[in-house]
Amino acid sequence: MKTDSFITEKSVILVTGCAGFIGAAICQALLSQNVMIIGIDNLNDYYDPNYKAARLKALKQAANFIFYQDDIVNNAALAKIFDLHNITHVIHLAAQAGVRYSLENPAAYIQSNVVGFANLIEICRQVKVKHFVYASSSSVYGDSQQFPYSTQANVDTPISLYAATKKSNELMAHAYAHLYQLPVCGLRFFTVYGPWGRPDMAPIKFAKKIWAGEEIEVFNQGLNERDFTYIDDIVNGTLKVFLQPSQNQVPYQLFNIGYGQPIKILYFIELLAHALGKSVQKKLLPRQPGDVVKTWAEIDALKKAVNYSPETSIEEGILRFAHWFKDNHALLI
């Protein structure tokens, strides 16, 4: 990451969800800069906390990284962290993730994704942070058939509570930018994969099944397509945006961040099996509630704004992921 006067030696960057997939990768990239990184994560048990701790291990070795095991829903804990560290910039990635789990435990999404978001952005307003970048999701597009997905499209019909909470974040962020001139930017992430990925997502689930010689359940008869985006491209794009807050009268930005090309799930599975050196057995099942058939990011706006250019093809990305999985699959048992 090339810094400029926007980031100085006195900058203190808060990264929420720092033990998560994207959060840990963002922190790792930031640690090479001569700035202080404050990480916060509640290490909940949505998936194995030991796996999150393994991501954190490398971060904790850095002298310019401080970790807090706290929850953004706890407003007092957030306020204390801001008071202690004079935080100047925020990358907000903490959230209750997962479309399917939102059908089972909707209250968790309201607390983390709505209450927690509101707590954090309000403190950012009070201390006048220089930039508040937060994670939205491609899920906000629901089951739209207008491809590729554009941030100009209407997204008022979410088909999961997870998507609804992410849309609410975008609305709150716009209000804060408009009312208080708080520089904010939302990023709609598209199906991120790669080393240290979330074990509840398809790439690791598929890899575990293939490695063990077990049958893979493939929903919607294998017709689904996803705009798979490699983690390095996500990190590079996020940091480019982070360094360029809006200069508009209402300092609000919203971008898709993906690869810009849908990939058939069945093709992804075949590539992964080949990269792992295994055969694959598939069980085709009906579509699941809350699932969308296809995602496809329009990324021209992000290219124009920050010269974003995803470089990792699906073939290369899966090779890298498979190499990591072979060395680390014991962590995922």
Side-chain angles (χ1 to χ4, degrees):
M1 181 180 69
K2 183 180 180 181
T3 61
D4 55 22
S5 59
F6 178 63
I7 301 291
T8 71
E9 292 184 2
K10 294 183 179 180
S11 298
V12 180
I13 303 170
L14 174 69
V15 180
T16 70
C18 65
F21 176 27
I22 300 174
I26 291 284
C27 286
Q28 195 65 58
L30 286 170
L31 286 174
S32 63
Q33 309 303 311
N34 191 23
V35 293
M36 181 60 68
I37 309 301
I38 309 299
I40 180 172
D41 200 295
N42 65 1
L43 299 180
N44 69 21
D45 61 359
Y46 171 64
Y47 60 83
D48 186 1
N50 291 320
Y51 184 57
K52 299 176 184 179
R55 291 195 191 110
L56 274 175
K57 185 177 180 180
L59 301 179
K60 288 181 175 180
Q61 294 173 0
N64 56 329
F65 179 80
I66 298 174
F67 173 66
Y68 289 91
Q69 184 175 345
D70 277 309
D71 196 317
I72 58 172
V73 174
N74 185 340
N75 203 35
L78 271 182
K80 183 177 180 180
I81 292 170
F82 272 79
D83 287 344
L84 285 173
H85 296 289
N86 192 29
I87 289 162
T88 57
H89 306 74
V90 172
I91 300 178
H92 175 45
L93 303 170
Q96 178 57 59
V99 169
R100 290 170 188 161
Y101 185 59
S102 69
L103 277 68
E104 303 171 24
N105 189 5
Y109 290 76
I110 298 299
Q111 285 300 305
S112 183
N113 301 6
V114 180
V115 175
F117 185 93
N119 286 344
L120 184 60
I121 199 169
E122 169 59 15
I123 292 178
C124 288
R125 173 190 76 83
Q126 293 173 12
V127 303
K128 295 181 171 59
V129 299
K130 295 181 178 181
H131 203 188
F132 177 83
V133 175
Y134 67 94
S136 186
S137 169
S138 62
S139 296
V140 300
Y141 290 105
D143 208 13
S144 172
Q145 300 301 302
Q146 297 179 8
F147 299 113
Y149 291 160
S150 167
T151 54
Q152 303 304 310
N154 184 293
V155 289
D156 290 339
T157 55
I159 61 172
S160 70
L161 185 65
Y162 170 71
T165 62
K166 288 299 185 178
K167 171 63 175 177
S168 77
N169 292 168
E170 296 177 1
L171 295 172
M172 285 190 280
H174 187 275
Y176 269 77
H178 174 75
L179 293 170
Y180 309 113
Q181 287 69 56
L182 176 70
V184 299
C185 181
L187 294 171
R188 292 175 176 172
F189 292 116
F190 278 72
T191 317
V192 189
Y193 74 102
W196 293 103
R198 274 178 28 212
D200 63 308
M201 291 184 70
I204 284 184
K205 283 186 172 182
F206 290 161
K208 288 174 67 176
K209 293 284 188 181
I210 293 169
W211 192 256
E214 299 175 0
E215 187 177 64
I216 290 177
E217 294 183 339
V218 186
F219 295 100
N220 196 29
Q221 308 301 322
L223 297 176
N224 288 348
E225 299 177 60
R226 293 291 180 268
D227 194 332
F228 287 101
T229 315
Y230 192 68
I231 182 62
D232 290 3
D233 291 325
I234 289 290
V235 170
N236 291 338
T238 300
L239 294 182
K240 281 175 178 278
V241 165
F242 176 65
L243 290 173
Q244 296 190 37
S246 172
Q247 302 299 317
N248 295 332
Q249 184 176 359
V250 176
Y252 174 84
Q253 298 181 100
L254 179 65
F255 297 109
N256 290 330
I257 182 165
Y259 187 68
Q261 178 182 334
I263 302 295
K264 294 183 183 299
I265 294 292
L266 291 179
Y267 181 58
F268 185 96
I269 292 170
E270 293 297 335
L271 284 176
L272 181 56
H274 180 73
L276 292 172
K278 303 279 187 177
S279 59
V280 60
Q281 306 169 56
K282 300 182 289 290
K283 181 179 181 180
L284 302 183
L285 297 172
R287 183 179 174 186
Q288 281 207 321
D291 266 0
V292 299
V293 174
K294 179 178 180 178
T295 64
W296 181 1
E298 181 277 302
I299 57 175
D300 290 345
L302 190 56
K303 287 180 178 179
K304 182 178 179 181
V306 297
N307 197 30
Y308 170 71
S309 180
E311 298 176 351
T312 312
S313 69
I314 190 68
E315 293 81 8
E316 176 62 26
I318 287 180
L319 280 175
R320 295 182 195 174
F321 169 65
H323 179 77
W324 171 86
F325 181 85
K326 290 176 184 179
D327 290 341
N328 294 278
H329 62 88
L331 288 169
L332 299 159
I333 295 173

